[in-house]
Amino acid sequence: MFFQPQERLCLFIDGTSLYSASRNLGFEVDYRKLLSFFRSKSNVLRAYYYSAVLETEEYSPLKPLTDWLVYNGYFLVTKTAREYTDHAGRRRVKGNMDIELAVDMLEMAPKIDHAVLFSGDADFRRLLEAVQRQGVRTTVIASIKTSPPLIGDELRRQADQFVELADIASHFTRRQIESRTSRPAAPAPVRHPADHLSDLPEE
């Protein structure tokens, strides 16, 4: 990876995307270590974490994490995701955080030298292009080692630097878990809200 100690850097973490990728790769993220890792590389001005929570949940298992993030150096951006059934009887969810992330990155662009995006969503390609025109260097952190790969080719080509999540995971792993690719097809007994948001199709 190419980072400069003096450059002003901002992290933009799509929480659902990072959770899905780390689960596929078989590890759990230690967010304290993650922030420390990037602070050791550059001057981190802000670390954004984006999360949508299903409105049907009275209590979300994500709450302890999001509460911890707020008090430990992260800027939390949330909104309510809505789950519903379409005309064909299929479960759908609306909880996309793309707009929130894009607005924040564009607003921060004049103040930073380097934007680090934790997401493989190809829809962000145009966003990277826009901040690059303002002189901001961009890094995308996602994975091509998952099945299927969790990054779009267009986004990977647009970024100034692509970092494979599996290659740096050891710096901020809280504990190893059984990867999705290696375990049997039986459903897990406990479902994390991010599973619902990543597994359900969006409208």
Side-chain angles (χ1 to χ4, degrees):
M1 294 185 300
F2 179 62
F3 292 94
Q4 299 176 351
Q6 73 278 10
E7 68 180 357
R8 299 166 300 169
L9 181 144
C10 190
L11 302 176
F12 300 88
I13 303 171
D14 181 334
T16 300
S17 177
L18 178 55
Y19 175 81
S20 297
S22 62
R23 190 180 65 155
N24 268 275
L25 293 169
F27 75 96
E28 202 168 279
V29 176
D30 184 322
Y31 286 93
R32 187 190 304 276
K33 290 181 180 178
L34 186 150
L35 190 54
S36 295
F37 173 71
F38 282 96
R39 282 176 171 168
S40 72
K41 302 288 184 184
S42 293
N43 176 23
V44 178
L45 296 187
R46 181 164 287 181
Y48 288 94
Y49 182 93
Y50 301 85
S51 176
V53 179
L54 290 170
E55 64 180 1
T56 56
E57 296 175 340
E58 293 183 4
Y59 173 80
S60 168
L62 274 176
K63 192 173 189 332
L65 170 62
T66 54
D67 285 348
W68 184 91
L69 292 171
V70 168
Y71 290 105
N72 288 274
Y74 288 84
F75 191 87
L76 181 66
V77 183
T78 64
K79 76 175 179 183
T80 301
R82 183 172 62 88
E83 186 179 356
Y84 65 98
T85 303
D86 66 12
H87 65 278
R90 293 171 298 188
R91 294 169 65 219
R92 300 276 187 176
V93 65
K94 285 185 177 180
N96 194 301
M97 301 292 293
D98 289 6
I99 295 298
E100 288 79 3
L101 192 155
V103 168
D104 289 339
M105 188 180 292
L106 287 169
E107 286 185 344
M108 287 297 293
K111 306 176 181 68
I112 61 176
D113 305 305
H114 194 165
V116 177
L117 172 66
F118 280 81
S119 178
D121 190 342
D123 288 344
F124 287 128
R125 185 206 68 79
R126 188 74 174 83
L127 171 63
L128 295 195
E129 183 182 30
V131 299
Q132 285 169 336
R133 286 201 303 268
Q134 299 184 52
V136 177
R137 199 157 63 85
T138 60
T139 292
V140 168
I141 299 178
S143 183
I144 59 174
K145 295 184 178 180
T146 55
S147 182
L150 294 177
I151 183 168
D153 288 339
E154 301 91 342
L155 182 66
R156 186 179 177 188
R157 287 195 296 267
Q158 185 66 48
D160 295 302
Q161 176 177 228
F162 167 72
V163 175
E164 168 58 50
L165 179 62
D167 293 344
I168 60 172
S170 62
H171 295 285
F172 44 82
T173 295
R174 185 158 72 92
R175 68 184 179 95
Q176 296 292 327
I177 58 176
E178 189 178 3
S179 68
R180 175 182 284 181
T181 56
S182 65
R183 64 173 176 255
V190 178
R191 296 283 284 172
H192 189 287
D195 290 344
H196 295 293
L197 297 179
S198 59
D199 293 346
L200 294 175
E202 290 189 356
E203 188 178 69

